[in-house]
Amino acid sequence: MDCLFCKIANNEIPANIVYRDDLIMIFDDINPQAPHHKLIVPVNHISTLNDLHGEDDDLVGHMVQSGAMLAKELGIAEEGYRVVFNCNAGAGQTVFHIHAHLLGGRQMSWPPG
Ligand code: AMP
Ligand code: ZN
């Protein structure tokens, strides 16, 4: 499948992977929007949040928990951080393989643009 994040999962395209297990990988965003900007990505392909099923509950929980753990390791947990899923083009999704953005290290504003 011609998918950027599947290619990263298959080691066909390099990325700075900071964590990997059977379900997920976490790597640096190539165009960081904050001092800390990681992408939490399932190893297996799912195009958008709209394609999730009940059987994916454990996977999504693991993505979010792993983001929270990494935020603690990065030392940004207490000051605060953001975990964002963009779903479809109207929300800014550009890579159609689901991923959570972990953003931190600066003051965030609300609402997001
Ligand atoms: P989204 O716009 O929510 O789909 O997020 C896609 C993210 O992937 C963007 O923040 C991009 O900067 C990032 N990105 C695109 N190509 C790469 C790459 N080769 N390695 C790491 N991050 C990437
Ligand atoms: Zn994919």
Side-chain angles (χ1 to χ4, degrees):
M1 182 186 298
D2 191 24
C3 168
L4 180 63
F5 289 171
C6 283
K7 287 179 178 163
I8 290 176
N10 295 329
N11 297 314
E12 292 167 31
I13 289 179
N16 186 35
I17 297 174
V18 298
Y19 176 82
R20 182 165 189 157
D21 61 25
D22 290 345
L23 290 178
I24 64 166
M25 53 189 174
I26 306 178
F27 51 86
D28 289 327
D29 195 295
I30 205 168
N31 183 22
Q33 301 301 312
H36 296 285
H37 187 173
K38 311 286 185 199
L39 298 175
I40 305 162
V41 184
V43 171
N44 292 326
H45 185 88
I46 299 170
S47 296
T48 80
L49 291 189
N50 294 335
D51 301 301
L52 288 172
H53 302 291
E55 69 222 35
D56 301 313
D57 285 2
D58 287 351
L59 169 67
V60 176
H62 184 51
M63 291 172 72
V64 175
Q65 287 273 16
S66 299
M69 275 181 48
L70 181 58
K72 287 179 190 157
E73 285 175 21
L74 292 170
I76 57 173
E78 291 306 317
E79 69 191 59
Y81 59 92
R82 192 168 283 172
V83 177
V84 180
F85 288 87
N86 296 324
C87 181
N88 272 339
Q93 187 175 3
T94 59
V95 177
F96 287 83
H97 176 138
I98 64 167
H99 49 281
H101 297 256
L102 171 65
L103 295 148
R106 66 167 169 82
Q107 182 62 44
M108 301 286 162
S109 60
W110 191 264

